[in-house]
Amino acid sequence: MQNAAVPELAHTHARPVHWIATATAMAAVVALAGFLQPDAAKASQTPREHGAPLTTAAAPDPGAVVLPLQCGSVGSTVEKKASGDLDGDGVPETVAVAHCRAGGGTPPSGIYVLTQPVVKGAPPRLVATLLDPKDKQTVADLIVRDGAVTATLLGYSSNDVPRYEPDVREQVKWRWQGGKFIRSTQAAALGV
């Protein structure tokens, strides 16, 4: 039998102290990795276009805010609502269609944008009125998608048209630009 050309090296033989040091180092790495995990709400999401943080906040409840409707003793009702992030901050807003309760006819609608309160526990804040009931239109459809509010509005071509029979249909869209909502309109159609 031949002797090795190189003498046995002490570091090639593991001793119990070596295994304890390795186990301790591995435990420290695993513990540190547990603290550095990404937030679960952001882990599988793609980054926002504007670099805004993502959140899982709930959309504001329109029933928790007083809308600026002049209804007297009959009160008001929220007929439709839709939610989505309209300003790109990662927090959903709620768009609510509301009108005065009426025993008959077609009461005019208002379209309102609500956002989360700044102070925790406070009611949602009304940040915009997209359609004022004074415009004497009603809302047939409402959609919030891709940062825009789209609505189908029904109205009247003159004061001679009965209020229960709107004869003008209009597709409108609002998009947040430059710190305000900008309205665009598609062609109006007579004869709803």
Side-chain angles (χ1 to χ4, degrees), residues 7-51:
E8 285 190 32
L9 302 174
H11 72 277
T12 60
H13 297 291
R15 290 185 248 161
V17 172
H18 173 78
W19 291 114
I20 292 173
T22 302
T24 303
M26 290 299 293
V29 168
V30 170
L32 183 61
F35 287 116
L36 298 178
Q37 290 294 318
D39 184 3
K42 298 177 185 177
S44 63
Q45 304 292 329
T46 57
R48 303 286 300 172
E49 286 183 67
H50 306 292

Side-chain angles (χ1 to χ4, degrees), residues 63-81:
V65 68
V66 176
L67 298 172
L69 292 164
Q70 304 300 321
C71 299
S73 62
V74 297
S76 65
T77 185
V78 174
E79 182 180 339
K80 297 172 178 33
K81 66 179 180 176

Side-chain angles (χ1 to χ4, degrees), residues 143-182:
I143 298 170
V144 173
R145 185 180 304 137
D146 299 328
V149 178
T150 305
T152 302
L153 305 179
L154 304 178
Y156 309 94
S157 58
S158 74
N159 286 335
D160 297 331
V161 176
R163 298 297 99 173
Y164 60 86
E165 204 173 294
D167 63 340
V168 175
R169 180 184 202 96
E170 184 179 22
Q171 285 292 118
V172 295
K173 183 182 279 190
W174 291 270
R175 187 171 293 280
W176 183 258
Q177 294 176 335
K180 61 184 176 182
F181 284 98
I182 305 297

Side-chain angles (χ1 to χ4, degrees), residues 89-179:
D89 66 352
V91 178
E93 286 77 29
T94 296
V95 180
V97 175
H99 58 79
C100 294
R101 289 189 181 112
T106 308
S109 302
I111 301 178
Y112 306 99
V113 179
L114 308 172
T115 191
Q116 292 292 352
V118 175
V119 178
K120 189 172 182 156
R125 293 183 305 127
L126 174 65
V127 293
T129 299
L130 302 181
L131 178 69
D132 194 313
K134 293 176 186 173
D135 296 336
K136 298 181 180 173
Q137 294 181 303
T138 57
V139 179
D141 294 314
L142 176 74
I143 298 170
V144 173
R145 185 180 304 137
D146 299 328
V149 178
T150 305
T152 302
L153 305 179
L154 304 178
Y156 309 94
S157 58
S158 74
N159 286 335
D160 297 331
V161 176
R163 298 297 99 173
Y164 60 86
E165 204 173 294
D167 63 340
V168 175
R169 180 184 202 96
E170 184 179 22
Q171 285 292 118
V172 295
K173 183 182 279 190
W174 291 270
R175 187 171 293 280
W176 183 258
Q177 294 176 335

